[in-house]
Amino acid sequence: MSEEVNPFESMQEQIDDAAVHLDIDPGVLERLKNPERVLETTLSVEMDDGAIETFRAYRSQFNGDRGPYKGGIRYHPGVNRDEVKALSGWMVYKCAAVDIPFGGGKGGIALDPSGYSADELERVTRAYTEELRPLIGEDRDIPAPDVNTGQREMNWVKDTYESLENTTEPGVVTGKAVESGGSEGRVEATGRSVAIVSREAFDYRGGDVADATVAVQGYGNAGWVAADLLEDMGATVVAVSDSSGAIHDPDGLDPVAVKDHKRDTGSVAGFEGAGAWTNRDLLTADVDLLVPAALENAIDADIAADVSADIIVEAANGPLTPDADDILEERDVLVVPDILANAGGVTVSYFEWVQNRQRFQWTEQRVNDELERVVTEAFDELVDTFEERELGTFREAMYVVALQRVRRAAEQSGVWP
Ligand code: NAD
């Protein structure tokens, strides 16, 4: 993994690449490349042994021209200000890519949750929510899960906010458990959009995802569901990895059995009948489809030169460095960008928010049908723009679509006072 690439600079470069094709006022463009505000705070939390520990925490609100800020909360030791800024910017363009009425935000706490008890994590989450309280709300800024956070943390955020505000406002956060106002289909939504765009990408290239061999880097919420749904579509998942190692089986791995093994042992490594690989082996494996579903900058220029897959579908946010992107374009590897591929998560978060406001629960079938429609329409718009404007990459095309939408909203909002 490349350490030198700053994800915030990568994100700004992606916007600049798209802006070349649009006649945008330089002042407006600068505004669309920078967050409106960033909260940086230190949480002081009592540990189980009575000691006080401090944690660096952030929330970036990047752009609200199209609706409330929207984006996940990440718990990871690598969380820092620039990473949160980058992730919040990607959320703006992701929401615009699939045309849902949200802006973009992102938050995070620099901590490794594996080192803390559930009680400690609850106190950390509640302390963080108290800091966020003036900034969030169902019409202001709506957090969601990201790396190392899930329904449990979202339920804590909801409860803390509602207790402090003396109200019920389930739409203040998405990704909640269904019983606490969550949506059917939300847990699977990110992996589902990854599988849908994979199917569309093979179709675009004149192939069939059912014939594809697949490698998935990162076996968390996004990665494992993508692997499972791709297998349902007939694809053969031959390799998967997590932070402890990679496994492979040329005859195909059973995604559910691997998931159960990871639940029981903490890792995909050691799965019975599978061979062990390095992270690099997996990323350069001779497969048709590569799905990076771990963290930013997983594929740098060095790895990109050796990638064998014909198609990469970015389940993670920002998994390719800008140099890797250039090399893969030269090598005619089709990259379906993160802002479309993993947009299923925020799309079903939007459905959850709509259901919360309606106080009316949709069926899982309805959620999945609406998601299918939103993602395939966005894919078609990407392809139309790619072909009409004769662009170099799918990423550029998706950013052109998204940037046009955000730019129009920003220009229509104007500047006040
Ligand atoms: P997660 O915490 O559930 O899973 C992350 C996985 O990546 C874990 O299996 C972890 O072991 C693995 N990993 C970490 N470092 C790795 C490495 N160096 N090599 C191989 N594996 C590694 O997180 P998630 O929610 O699945 O998120 C994964 C990515 O998808 C992130 O980039 C996130 O921003 C993005 N994403 C997630 C959602 C969502 O709804 N969960 C939505 C959109 C985008």
Side-chain angles (χ1 to χ4, degrees), residues 70 91 94-95 97-98 100 102 144-145 174-175 183-197 221-222 225 229 313-315 317 337-352 367-368 370-376 378:
K70 182 84 189 88
M91 287 306 299
K94 187 179 303 182
C95 293
V98 287
I100 56 176
F102 284 146
T174 60
S183 177
E184 299 286 352
R186 173 60 184 88
V187 172
E188 299 80 18
T190 304
R192 188 172 292 279
S193 65
V194 170
I196 293 169
V197 298
N221 177 252
V225 176
L229 294 177
V313 173
E314 295 183 327
N317 287 307
D338 46 8
I339 59 167
L340 172 61
N342 67 33
V346 75
T347 303
V348 176
S349 275
Y350 166 55
F351 299 159
E352 180 175 332
V367 169
N368 290 345
E370 295 275 4
L371 176 61
E372 168 84 24
R373 180 184 60 75
V374 167
V375 173
T376 51

Side-chain angles (χ1 to χ4, degrees), residues 326-393:
D326 293 343
I327 290 168
L328 293 164
E329 181 185 355
E330 277 166 30
R331 299 190 51 222
D332 199 28
V333 176
L334 183 66
V335 176
V336 183
D338 46 8
I339 59 167
L340 172 61
N342 67 33
V346 75
T347 303
V348 176
S349 275
Y350 166 55
F351 299 159
E352 180 175 332
W353 179 80
V354 168
Q355 293 170 72
N356 290 156
R357 309 202 70 157
Q358 294 176 329
R359 305 269 175 179
F360 180 77
Q361 194 80 13
W362 298 3
T363 62
E364 187 175 357
Q365 190 62 49
R366 177 170 178 193
V367 169
N368 290 345
D369 289 349
E370 295 275 4
L371 176 61
E372 168 84 24
R373 180 184 60 75
V374 167
V375 173
T376 51
E377 279 180 14
F379 188 90
D380 291 346
E381 278 179 298
L382 180 165
V383 170
D384 288 348
T385 303
F386 178 73
E387 291 179 348
E388 277 164 21
R389 291 179 176 264
E390 299 179 359
L391 299 174
T393 64

Side-chain angles (χ1 to χ4, degrees), residues 144-212:
D146 191 68
V147 173
N148 289 327
T149 61
Q151 290 181 340
R152 181 182 68 171
E153 288 74 17
M154 299 309 113
N155 295 345
W156 289 333
V157 171
K158 170 181 172 280
D159 181 67
T160 308
Y161 183 83
E162 289 183 335
S163 302
L164 292 170
E165 294 286 328
N166 188 28
T167 188
T168 61
E169 194 177 314
V172 67
V173 64
T174 60
K176 303 175 293 290
V178 173
E179 300 78 7
S180 297
S183 177
E184 299 286 352
R186 173 60 184 88
V187 172
E188 299 80 18
T190 304
R192 188 172 292 279
S193 65
V194 170
I196 293 169
V197 298
S198 301
R199 184 194 67 210
E200 297 296 307
F202 276 91
D203 197 39
Y204 175 77
R205 279 261 168 125
D208 187 343
V209 72
D211 301 328

